[in-house]
Amino acid sequence: MTPSSTFTGEEPECPEDREYVLGAPHAHPHPQVDPLARLRTSDDPPWDVYLTGTVFLDIVFTGLDSAPVRGTESWARGMGSSPGGVANMATALARLGLRTSLAAAFGDDHYGDYCWDALERGEGIDLSASRTVPGWHSPVTVSMAYEGERTMVSHGHEPPLEEVFPQEGTPACRPRARAAVASLTPGRSAPWIAQAAAEGTRVFGDVGWDETGAWDLTSLPDLKHCEAFLPNAEEAMRYTGTDCPRTAAHALTEFVPLAVVTLGAEGAYAVDRRTGETAEVPAIEVEALDPTGAGDVFVAGFVTGTLAGWPLADRLAFAGLTAALSVQEFGGSLSAPGWAEIAAWWRRVQSVEGQDPAALRRYAFLDDLVPEVGVEPWPRRRAVPTIGFRRTA
């Protein structure tokens, strides 16, 4: 944690010179915290969260002093490999202790095998609704991180979803879940979203940049099936035609019960139309190494708190904390924090003299959540051999 107006502490060592890979490929994870433990009953759906989308293989080069220059060769001091795309969200949810099910197409190449293994065996994500597609190679993204920024190059072909999932490109046997995270696309409707909502699944919608430039909320037909909508400030203002993200959040509640707008370095703001409640939580200032996947981690943290029944302000604080921890690492799913990282951070900030008491009280709800034993020292790093190393059976 770097010094800030919110928390003070020592700057963690720079991890640029290491090689990273997602998880421990053959170690089935045992989350230290089940945030829904007190709510679970024998009548629960088998999964807490369902999601679907495209899995990429992400290769991240770190420790670059500057952007690559045309006609020259650049050497990176570190690199990492991990499943990316929708896998960022799935991994973030699973590491927070939610039982996560993912429906995706996987290539039948080595990259596809690696991503499947890392997600299923390394992270404990259910892939029973996913399929391996013969003859389809895995999409790949190469990301270069330098000076707090990133440059990405991707290659891939659209997955043949109609061949893999004959029911309008979605799994015919979608697993039942408490919640689902849906990526909304302007001008397109995904039938599974309405079906899930009709079955009582709580749908959380996020959205990307509108390439059409229309920024019309009526072009998001599945928004009406969502319980919550989580755009960033720029997206929220463009969709509502306002010049203030907080005003935009209130305007969005005409279309969805709960609007959560991320404000970048300012934190996040939320409005719940059903209760009339609003909440705003400032961001935790950190030394950001790579913002890849931070938005996915924020959504995962907010979904976790919502399913656990926490107050709105606690949900925002937790989502912001998990996102802040993620940007201090490189990569998308690589950087998603688990409860060990959360516990280590909470123990560390409480031990630093001169902390703002109000800031500490904002995260006091963690006292009842984080594990009391087995907490590793802060900062905790995930550095193990990257993809390509042989391992014994």
Side-chain angles (χ1 to χ4, degrees):
M1 177 63 59
T2 56
S4 73
S5 60
T6 304
F7 286 108
T8 59
E10 299 176 359
E11 184 172 349
E13 62 179 279
C14 179
E16 290 183 346
D17 299 339
R18 307 186 184 204
E19 292 182 340
Y20 292 82
V21 69
L22 175 66
H26 287 292
H28 186 76
H30 297 281
Q32 294 174 294
V33 173
D34 179 359
L36 308 186
R38 64 180 180 83
L39 302 176
R40 297 196 185 279
T41 70
S42 58
D43 297 327
D44 286 343
W47 304 106
D48 296 325
V49 186
Y50 166 82
L51 63 165
T52 185
T54 302
V55 173
F56 286 72
L57 172 71
D58 282 356
I59 301 173
V60 182
F61 288 103
T62 66
L64 290 163
D65 295 322
S66 62
V69 178
R70 181 178 179 178
T72 66
E73 180 180 13
S74 299
W75 280 82
R77 292 189 293 273
M79 67 167 290
S81 307
S82 66
V86 71
N88 294 339
M89 179 79 72
T91 300
L93 291 162
R95 288 186 179 175
L96 293 178
L98 297 186
R99 300 169 184 174
T100 303
S101 181
L102 169 65
F106 288 78
D108 65 346
D109 49 17
H110 290 304
Y111 293 163
D113 291 343
Y114 162 72
C115 289
W116 187 294
D117 186 58
L119 294 173
E120 183 178 59
R121 302 180 68 181
E123 301 296 337
I125 295 168
D126 168 58
L127 298 180
S128 61
S130 294
R131 299 290 182 271
T132 297
V133 183
W136 182 65
H137 70 75
S138 301
V140 176
T141 292
V142 175
S143 177
M144 292 159 281
Y146 52 89
E147 300 175 353
E149 299 292 340
R150 57 177 173 162
T151 298
M152 296 184 291
V153 178
S154 297
H155 172 72
H157 302 280
E158 287 292 328
L161 294 181
E162 289 73 16
E163 298 178 23
V164 183
F165 306 127
Q167 190 185 51
E168 300 182 72
T170 59
C173 298
R174 175 178 41 80
R176 290 193 308 116
R178 296 172 186 264
V181 179
S183 182
L184 307 181
T185 303
R188 294 177 58 184
S189 178
W192 74 265
I193 297 175
Q195 295 167 7
E199 294 167 4
T201 298
R202 305 168 71 175
V203 181
F204 295 76
D206 69 357
V207 70
W209 191 257
D210 185 355
E211 299 292 346
T212 70
W215 297 102
D216 182 2
L217 282 169
T218 63
S219 72
L220 302 176
D222 291 324
L223 184 59
K224 62 179 178 290
H225 303 300
C226 296
E227 171 179 329
F229 185 45
L230 299 96
N232 63 33
E234 185 66 22
E235 293 160 350
M237 289 188 291
R238 285 178 178 265
Y239 269 119
T240 58
T242 61
D243 58 3
C244 170
R246 294 164 186 80
T247 302
H250 286 272
L252 286 172
T253 59
E254 296 181 14
F255 299 85
V256 65
L258 176 59
V260 181
V261 178
T262 55
L263 308 175
E266 294 183 39
Y269 183 81
V271 183
D272 191 329
R273 182 186 69 203
R274 297 162 299 188
T275 64
E277 184 181 10
T278 64
E280 182 168 1
V281 174
I284 299 173
E285 296 182 25
V286 296
E287 186 71 24
L289 297 178
D290 184 1
T292 304
D296 294 325
V297 173
F298 181 94
V299 173
F302 190 82
V303 170
T304 300
T306 301
L307 294 184
W310 300 349
L312 186 56
D314 289 354
R315 285 181 264 165
L316 283 186
F318 184 73
L321 168 59
T322 55
L325 293 177
S326 78
V327 301
Q328 295 179 90
E329 296 278 1
F330 288 104
S333 56
L334 272 174
S335 66
W339 285 101
E341 287 91 343
I342 294 167
W345 175 85
W346 181 229
R347 299 287 181 256
R348 178 71 184 94
V349 297
Q350 291 181 93
S351 69
V352 177
E353 294 183 3
Q355 294 286 20
D356 179 0
L360 288 175
R361 285 195 299 272
R362 185 179 300 121
Y363 296 90
F365 65 92
L366 292 174
D367 278 331
D368 297 327
L369 291 167
V370 297
E372 294 292 336
V373 296
V375 176
E376 300 180 31
W378 173 267
R380 182 178 185 268
R381 298 297 181 197
R382 243 182 250 108
V384 295
T386 190
I387 188 173
F389 282 80
R390 296 184 183 277
R391 55 177 180 260
T392 57

